Amino acid sequence: MRRSRFTEEQIIGILKEHEAGVPVSDLCRKHGVSDASIYKWKARFGGMDVSEAKRLRALEDENAKLKRMLADAMLDNVALKDLPGKEVVTPAAERRAVVHLMDVHGMSERRACKATGFCRMTMRYKAKRGNDASLRERMKAIAQERRRFGYRRLHVLLRREGFQVNHKRLFRLYREERLMVRRRGGRKRAIGTRAPMMIPMRPNERWSLDFVADQMTDGRRFRMLAIVDDCTRECLALVADTSLSGVRVARELDWLLAEHGRPKMIVSDNGSEFTSNAILGWADAARVEWHYIAPGKPMQNGFIESFNGRLRDELLNETLFSSLSQARAALARWRLDYNTDRPHSKLGWQTPTAFAATFHPRRDPTLRAMNGSASDPAAPHAREGKPNRQDELKAG
């Protein structure tokens, strides 16, 4: 609005002259205004003094300011409803939203940031990221080779190769390349309170045994015997055959005892192979305590169950076996990789072999054979009221 060249005090002074009896024509000639201006001033300021006129002017200015604010708020509301997308969370999304308001609604950067509540520093920030091409290519190569590895294990493998990368940065690249591992659905399990499983503190304190089944491309089925040291998480044996009897299991255990020494305890389920006379006789002859889990409670043997899950997820579900010899070769390679290369999350991302090397080296099997029974602890006595394994053998 064009401002008048007369102030409120001057206008009220002119109107006072008119009220004193000065004609309008004389006032117009004296002050150089038209008679329409005199009548307009009279309609607006007639009967007011200077203080009332100033108050009226302040109210008009405030009313105009409120109208502008209301108009701006309504325009901002319409512009915000026109933003593309549902959520604006990341800095990149904030920049896109501000650019949209500036291009479509003609807002300035300051007003667009004020309407959206975003910081102007975010709009003007220039990323200083380095070239991640080599890291991306190597990460994709490892992920293609080990398709069931998540970003944490990929991070450990990349650090081994000399890539100095933060796990958060690697996770961002991991998501950008869409390398997320799809979780396979599992069966429902009963929920209840369970006692925590004691973790062995030394190698050869406890071994776990279990069977895993699979089939070849022609439909023939075969079984695998998995043996794990619960302390070091090493896979001591991974035997595959079309049939694995109790006698075969005892023979495999004899070979392991000659290589790794005698364990204090072996844990298994109640399968017919593990409850056979061959295993009962072997346990008594080797003086090894054999513990059977409760029927229907596989989590009492959780170490071997976890190993079986990794075996099935990373090898069996990813490979088609055409023959038993191919399956044995693939199992041997995977077992070597599991023990020497694959980082284990429960071992501080060390490999089982590296973790086992932190303990005292095992005694040479030849020295154990030379020392004989002097180095072996006595066999545990049978408890009263319960038959020992020799009685079970005689009875069975």
Side-chain angles (χ1 to χ4, degrees):
M1 182 178 66
R2 185 173 64 87
R3 297 183 63 86
S4 175
R5 59 190 177 94
F6 295 95
T7 63
E8 286 82 359
E9 294 85 350
Q10 294 173 340
I11 293 174
I12 292 176
I14 295 173
L15 293 179
K16 293 294 183 182
E17 293 179 13
H18 177 63
E19 292 175 0
V22 180
V24 174
S25 58
D26 295 341
L27 291 175
C28 292
R29 285 193 299 271
K30 179 180 178 181
H31 297 286
V33 296
S34 63
D35 54 353
S37 298
I38 298 295
Y39 290 114
K40 182 179 178 181
W41 291 345
K42 187 176 181 180
R44 185 177 180 185
F45 298 105
M48 291 185 180
D49 55 12
V50 176
S51 61
E52 292 176 343
K54 289 184 177 180
R55 192 181 309 114
L56 177 62
R57 183 60 177 268
L59 291 175
E60 289 177 349
D61 293 341
E62 185 178 358
N63 190 24
K65 182 179 179 181
L66 291 175
K67 286 183 178 179
R68 289 194 301 269
M69 292 175 61
L70 179 61
D72 292 342
M74 294 178 65
L75 178 60
D76 293 345
N77 190 19
V78 173
L80 291 176
K81 290 182 178 179
D82 189 41
L83 283 177
K86 296 182 179 180
E87 295 183 358
V88 182
V89 180
T90 62
E94 293 180 359
R95 296 189 190 96
R96 289 194 297 268
V98 171
V99 170
H100 176 78
L101 294 180
M102 294 171 62
D103 295 342
V104 177
H105 297 277
M107 293 184 175
S108 64
E109 181 186 275
R110 184 187 300 273
R111 182 174 177 182
C113 291
K114 184 178 180 181
T116 54
F118 303 149
C119 180
R120 295 183 67 191
M121 296 178 62
T122 304
M123 302 302 111
R124 302 185 179 189
Y125 174 76
K126 300 298 182 182
K128 299 179 181 179
R129 293 175 181 170
N131 187 9
D132 298 327
S134 60
L135 177 61
R136 288 176 184 267
E137 293 300 324
R138 185 55 187 157
M139 178 182 63
K140 290 191 292 185
I142 297 177
Q144 183 68 24
E145 179 183 354
R146 301 174 179 270
R147 299 193 298 171
R148 301 304 299 175
F149 275 19
Y151 82 97
R152 294 186 182 277
R153 283 194 172 85
L154 293 180
H155 180 238
V156 175
L157 296 178
L158 289 171
R159 291 290 293 270
R160 286 183 189 172
E161 296 182 5
F163 288 94
Q164 298 298 325
V165 55
N166 185 278
H167 71 279
K168 293 180 288 186
R169 174 186 168 201
L170 182 68
F171 182 58
R172 174 177 59 82
L173 301 177
Y174 182 81
R175 290 194 304 174
E176 290 176 359
E177 297 296 336
R178 299 183 179 276
L179 299 176
M180 289 77 72
V181 178
R182 181 179 62 85
R183 288 186 176 273
R184 296 188 172 96
R187 62 182 179 87
K188 294 183 179 179
R189 292 176 171 85
I191 300 176
T193 303
R194 297 181 176 91
M197 179 178 293
M198 300 302 295
I199 300 178
M201 302 305 297
R202 304 288 301 175
N204 287 349
E205 281 192 10
R206 188 174 67 208
W207 291 358
S208 297
L209 281 72
D210 200 8
F211 286 108
V212 183
D214 200 3
Q215 68 177 17
M216 291 176 274
T217 54
D218 57 1
R220 291 182 299 163
R221 299 191 63 83
F222 66 96
R223 305 179 73 192
M224 291 154 281
L225 172 65
I227 305 176
V228 174
D229 189 312
D230 292 351
C231 174
T232 63
R233 308 303 205 277
E234 284 182 287
C235 178
L236 304 178
L238 199 55
V239 184
D241 209 333
T242 55
S243 176
L244 293 170
S245 62
V247 177
R248 175 70 178 278
V249 173
R251 187 165 67 248
E252 297 293 339
L253 289 173
D254 283 332
W255 292 343
L256 289 180
L257 260 64
E259 181 180 358
H260 298 278
R262 185 177 66 249
K264 294 182 179 179
M265 178 187 293
I266 294 179
V267 183
S268 71
D269 56 19
N270 295 270
S272 58
E273 298 85 355
F274 300 138
T275 57
S276 63
N277 287 338
I279 292 297
L280 294 176
W282 179 90
D284 280 332
R287 290 175 293 176
V288 175
E289 181 182 356
W290 198 291
H291 174 73
Y292 296 100
I293 65 174
K297 302 291 184 180
M299 285 312 299
Q300 292 184 3
N301 200 8
F303 291 96
I304 195 66
E305 294 292 340
S306 175
F307 173 82
N308 293 344
R310 303 285 74 76
L311 171 64
R312 188 169 297 279
D313 185 52
E314 297 176 10
L315 178 66
L316 302 184
N317 290 342
E318 299 290 320
T319 310
L320 293 176
F321 302 111
S322 58
S323 64
L324 187 60
S325 59
Q326 179 200 356
R328 287 172 175 170
L331 288 171
R333 289 192 300 270
W334 187 87
R335 173 177 169 268
L336 179 63
D337 177 77
Y338 179 88
N339 288 335
T340 59
D341 291 333
R342 182 185 184 275
H344 202 293
S345 60
K346 296 300 182 182
L347 303 178
W349 301 110
Q350 299 182 76
T351 62
T353 301
F355 181 73
T358 60
F359 296 92
H360 294 296
R362 298 188 180 97
R363 297 182 60 186
D364 195 318
T366 57
L367 295 178
R368 284 199 303 270
M370 292 172 60
N371 294 336
S373 61
S375 61
D376 295 336
H381 298 288
R383 298 181 180 178
E384 282 188 35
K386 293 184 179 180
N388 56 21
R389 291 190 177 87
Q390 293 291 344
D391 297 335
E392 293 180 11
L393 287 173
K394 295 176 181 178

